[in-house]
Amino acid sequence: MFGIIGFVLSFFTILNIAGLTISIVALIRSKRAGFRNRFALAGLVISSIGVIITILVTSVAVSTLVGAAQTCARLGDGVHTIGSSTYTCTPTSFHVNFASTSSTQSADDQDWAIANSLYAEAVCPTNAAREQLSDAVGTNDITQLAPVAASASSAFDAAADVFRDHSWPVEIEQDIQFLGETSSQLAERWGEVAETTDMDSAQAVSFPDAQPPFEAAQRIRVALAQHGQEPLRC
């Protein structure tokens, strides 16, 4: 009887361990009774295979979740596309969607997906920095502006590194290089503001013309959209 129960339970994934245990008990009892329990033996084999598969699947799932969590921690909130995977990151959760093998992206599609993710990685922090700078400048108080300017300088410096240290599709490479140069200049200028001691000195710092980088950013967004990439959500 125990052999039949173990054999039946071995076919149910969530009951594999129970099936394995019962099959072992049935085999021991059968051996003591002096007869061969084929149901218990089959249940033992099937349950063992099921337990091994469950362990492997669980290990892969845990590894995937840990990797997704680390990716979201690095990229921050928003929707990020890396290769054939899309990461949706929020302050309290994350979700990753892997493209099926039947719809594997071409190398060109992957290049644009990576470019979109890197562009968001560079631009989202600087967009946030601009909003903070706008508020700080409005206070007309150097004690409030200086630390915000220092933070913005770091954000623009990091963006410049992203723009300069990666390969980009040829269609946007020139605009990306220009944004890298502009980000570097902005990092330097906001660093100067952070070191000033009064608003007059802060307002005397000269900044590059905002229109050319704005136009470059618009061209990049258009190119990304034309290659199937979603607009930035930051």
Side-chain angles (χ1 to χ4, degrees):
M1 184 66 178
F2 271 97
I4 295 174
I5 294 174
F7 176 72
V8 172
L9 292 179
S10 68
F11 288 95
F12 297 90
T13 302
I14 60 175
L15 299 176
N16 275 332
I17 295 178
L20 178 62
T21 303
I22 293 174
S23 295
I24 292 173
V25 172
L27 279 173
I28 293 173
R29 290 187 176 184
S30 297
K31 184 176 181 180
R32 289 175 179 174
F35 70 91
R36 187 176 182 182
N37 192 330
R38 293 184 178 181
F39 278 110
L41 181 60
L44 175 64
V45 173
I46 297 173
S47 295
S48 298
I49 295 173
V51 169
I52 292 173
I53 292 175
T54 300
I55 292 174
L56 291 175
V57 170
T58 301
S59 299
V60 172
V62 170
S63 177
T64 300
L65 288 174
V66 171
Q70 292 175 340
T71 299
C72 280
R74 178 173 60 87
L75 298 180
D77 297 343
V79 178
H80 313 285
T81 301
I82 301 179
S84 60
S85 304
T86 300
Y87 295 81
T88 303
C89 310
T90 71
T92 58
S93 65
F94 60 87
H95 172 74
V96 56
N97 180 42
F98 298 100
S100 64
T101 54
S102 61
S103 59
T104 303
Q105 293 176 309
S106 68
D108 185 63
D109 290 338
Q110 292 180 8
D111 288 343
W112 281 100
I114 293 173
N116 188 51
S117 179
L118 288 172
Y119 187 68
E121 182 181 341
V123 172
C124 287
T126 58
N127 284 350
R130 285 188 174 93
E131 293 181 4
Q132 295 171 353
L133 286 167
S134 178
D135 294 338
V137 170
T139 65
N140 200 35
D141 184 349
I142 192 61
T143 61
Q144 296 188 45
L145 175 58
V148 177
S151 177
S153 177
S154 297
F156 282 108
D157 192 43
D161 288 341
V162 173
F163 288 135
R164 292 181 301 205
D165 295 346
H166 295 85
S167 297
W168 300 85
V170 64
E171 293 93 328
I172 60 174
E173 185 175 10
Q174 185 174 352
D175 283 328
I176 288 291
Q177 291 178 352
F178 176 67
L179 289 186
E181 296 171 0
T182 303
S183 296
S184 182
Q185 294 172 6
L186 289 171
E188 182 179 350
R189 299 299 187 273
W190 285 116
E192 294 176 7
V193 172
E195 296 177 355
T196 59
T197 57
D198 59 81
M199 287 301 297
D200 289 339
S201 298
Q203 292 171 354
V205 176
S206 61
F207 289 86
D209 186 358
Q211 188 61 29
F214 173 78
E215 293 174 352
Q218 289 298 100
R219 288 192 295 269
I220 292 170
R221 288 173 181 269
V222 169
L224 290 169
Q226 289 175 341
H227 287 82
Q229 302 303 313
E230 294 184 8
L232 294 175
R233 296 183 180 180
C234 61

